[in-house]
Amino acid sequence: MVISQEAIGAGKPAVLRRRGPVLERAILEAALDQLSTVGWGGLTMEGIAARAQTGKAAVYRRWPSKHALVVDALCSALPDVGDMPDLGSLREDLLFLVLRMRESMYSQGGLAIRSVLDECDHSAAEPFIDLIVRGVIEPGKRLILEVIRRGIARGEVRADATGDIVADVVPALMMYRAKLGGRDICEGDLIEVVDQVMMPLLRS
Amino acid sequence: MVISQEAIGAGKPAVLRRRGPVLERAILEAALDQLSTVGWGGLTMEGIAARAQTGKAAVYRRWPSKHALVVDALCSALPDVGDMPDLGSLREDLLFLVLRMRESMYSQGGLAIRSVLDECDHSAAEPFIDLIVRGVIEPGKRLILEVIRRGIARGEVRADATGDIVADVVPALMMYRAKLGGRDICEGDLIEVVDQVMMPLLRS
């Protein structure tokens, strides 16, 4: 049996012997897993090492701090909002969009991001917020603006509904309900967002 | 000079000798002050005692935990959204409302509430969320619905714009922008919320 230096350090036999990218991937996965379960507050380099079945030294050799590791973990798991198929009507496009956004919110990367946003105070969250805005918020906003542009072209949406604040309404309502609603966002919530808010807000 | 037992415990002469409600008020004020400055994460019973110029024992005698103390501190400082004067038009009413809500957000109580919401993970935030919903969110929602009802009576607002989700749009956008905007909410943001979102959303 091969015993790695790190495992000796931790006083346990190595279950897995991995190197380079394979071990790095396992550490990043462990960080995401810990973020979604124990949250930012409960996250420790020890916990991540244990979850990745490696030693703490192996983690610190690659990332000097919890912050640096979490930035890389979030980068590796940014939910991909993908492209918007044209479903032929504003309402169908909006329903597709909100379902896609809810999927992203509850993906492993989405849960990790919300854990960081929910728990970090402002100064601690700064390096993450920039990453989240560029990696998730902006791509989501581009999809919404694409749906709005198509609606304008079809004559379904008023021509001046292209402001940034209009594109913020869907993610803002989803974040607000997830934070204060005391339960997960259900399909009924999404249909309310579309039929009671976005359709009347956008109609021409 | 009178030296209190608590001050002897802390190894320092008492600067102030207060009892009962006066001391309690000072401790609650100190907790709010610490929440707005060092945040939930940085808040300690020691820090609160020091800020209130009393001993840690005096704090623990009244509140068994940081959680219990913060619940009482938030209760004591819930921003009062007050009543809505009728300004004669939907736009004027909405502008008044969003200015009032921003004032609440940046009051001492509002900053303390946001600190708790921003930093606590879900399980830690539970006892606070109920308090915040009943003490701040629901009163704010009543004001918005009052503005909408008046607008319907004036014929400015469509009759079916009375859903809960419609009343969530303003606070959701304010929370979202405060969290992800990287700066304080300014009057320009409020005017955008009114003119680009609420006016088109509500118009009859």
Side-chain angles (χ1 to χ4, degrees):
Chain A
M1 185 179 176
V2 181
I3 310 265
S4 77
Q5 279 310 105
E6 286 145 19
I8 292 167
K12 287 182 205 157
V15 180
L16 298 163
R17 186 184 176 98
R18 297 147 304 174
R19 295 192 174 280
V22 177
L23 178 56
E24 269 167 32
R25 186 65 242 160
I27 294 170
L28 293 172
E29 279 288 331
L32 290 170
D33 176 85
Q34 295 280 290
L35 271 176
S36 326
T37 51
V38 299
W40 169 260
L43 192 82
T44 60
M45 295 297 247
E46 289 82 352
I48 293 167
R51 175 80 202 169
Q53 294 181 279
T54 187
K56 207 167 73 170
V59 180
Y60 273 112
R61 203 173 306 138
R62 288 161 179 90
W63 291 278
S65 68
K66 172 171 150 170
H67 256 93
L69 172 49
V70 169
V71 165
D72 280 359
L74 293 180
C75 269
S76 77
L78 287 174
D80 181 10
V81 291
D83 297 320
M84 267 300 304
D86 187 339
L87 298 169
S89 80
L90 176 63
R91 186 165 185 273
E92 291 305 312
D93 279 358
L94 284 171
L95 285 171
F96 182 90
L97 178 85
V98 292
L99 278 166
R100 174 75 69 76
M101 288 179 85
R102 188 184 59 159
E103 241 170 60
S104 289
M105 276 182 82
Y106 292 99
S107 69
Q108 188 190 38
L111 288 169
I113 284 171
R114 282 163 54 209
S115 163
V116 168
L117 277 182
D118 278 357
E119 289 180 63
C120 280
D121 64 18
H122 263 270
S123 51
E126 231 162 77
F128 306 126
I129 284 185
D130 191 49
L131 165 75
I132 292 165
V133 168
R134 278 184 297 110
V136 184
I137 304 291
E138 293 296 342
K141 190 174 268 185
R142 277 196 293 276
L143 288 199
I144 298 176
L145 290 172
E146 171 65 22
V147 166
I148 291 174
R149 263 191 300 272
R150 271 183 212 160
I152 294 172
R154 286 191 209 107
E156 287 183 285
V157 174
R158 62 191 164 89
D160 60 348
T162 53
D164 264 14
I165 191 95
V166 176
D168 282 349
V169 173
V170 169
L173 282 172
M174 290 177 78
M175 182 190 268
Y176 187 77
R177 289 248 158 152
K179 187 84 194 180
L180 291 167
R183 59 170 177 78
D184 285 346
I185 291 176
C186 66
E187 285 197 20
D189 296 320
L190 299 179
I191 292 170
E192 279 187 16
V193 169
V194 170
D195 286 340
Q196 294 192 39
V197 178
M198 295 311 289
M199 291 297 287
L201 170 61
L202 296 176
R203 70 193 163 170
S204 54
Chain B
M1 185 180 175
V2 180
I3 310 267
S4 77
Q5 277 310 104
E6 286 146 18
I8 291 166
K12 285 182 208 158
V15 180
L16 297 164
R17 187 185 177 97
R18 297 147 304 174
R19 294 193 174 282
V22 177
L23 179 55
E24 268 168 32
R25 186 65 243 161
I27 294 170
L28 293 172
E29 279 288 331
L32 290 170
D33 176 84
Q34 295 281 289
L35 271 175
S36 325
T37 50
V38 300
W40 168 260
L43 192 82
T44 61
M45 295 297 246
E46 288 82 352
I48 293 168
R51 175 80 201 167
Q53 294 181 278
T54 187
K56 209 168 71 172
V59 181
Y60 273 111
R61 203 173 305 138
R62 288 158 179 92
W63 292 278
S65 68
K66 171 171 151 171
H67 257 93
L69 172 51
V70 169
V71 165
D72 280 358
L74 292 181
C75 268
S76 77
L78 288 174
D80 181 11
V81 291
D83 297 320
M84 266 300 303
D86 187 339
L87 298 171
S89 80
L90 175 64
R91 185 166 186 273
E92 291 305 311
D93 279 358
L94 285 171
L95 285 171
F96 181 90
L97 179 85
V98 292
L99 278 166
R100 173 78 67 77
M101 290 179 86
R102 189 185 58 160
E103 241 170 60
S104 288
M105 276 181 81
Y106 292 99
S107 68
Q108 188 191 37
L111 289 169
I113 284 171
R114 282 163 55 210
S115 164
V116 168
L117 277 181
D118 277 358
E119 290 179 62
C120 282
D121 63 17
H122 263 271
S123 51
E126 232 162 76
F128 306 127
I129 284 185
D130 192 47
L131 165 76
I132 292 165
V133 168
R134 279 184 296 110
V136 184
I137 304 292
E138 293 296 342
K141 190 175 267 184
R142 276 197 293 277
L143 288 199
I144 298 176
L145 290 172
E146 170 64 22
V147 166
I148 292 174
R149 264 191 299 273
R150 271 183 213 162
I152 293 173
R154 285 191 211 107
E156 287 183 285
V157 174
R158 61 191 166 89
D160 60 349
T162 53
D164 264 12
I165 190 95
V166 175
D168 283 349
V169 172
V170 169
L173 281 172
M174 289 177 78
M175 183 192 267
Y176 186 77
R177 287 248 158 153
K179 186 86 194 179
L180 291 167
R183 59 170 175 78
D184 286 345
I185 291 176
C186 66
E187 286 198 18
D189 296 320
L190 300 179
I191 292 170
E192 279 187 16
V193 169
V194 170
D195 286 338
Q196 294 192 40
V197 178
M198 294 312 289
M199 291 297 287
L201 170 60
L202 296 176
R203 71 194 161 168
S204 55

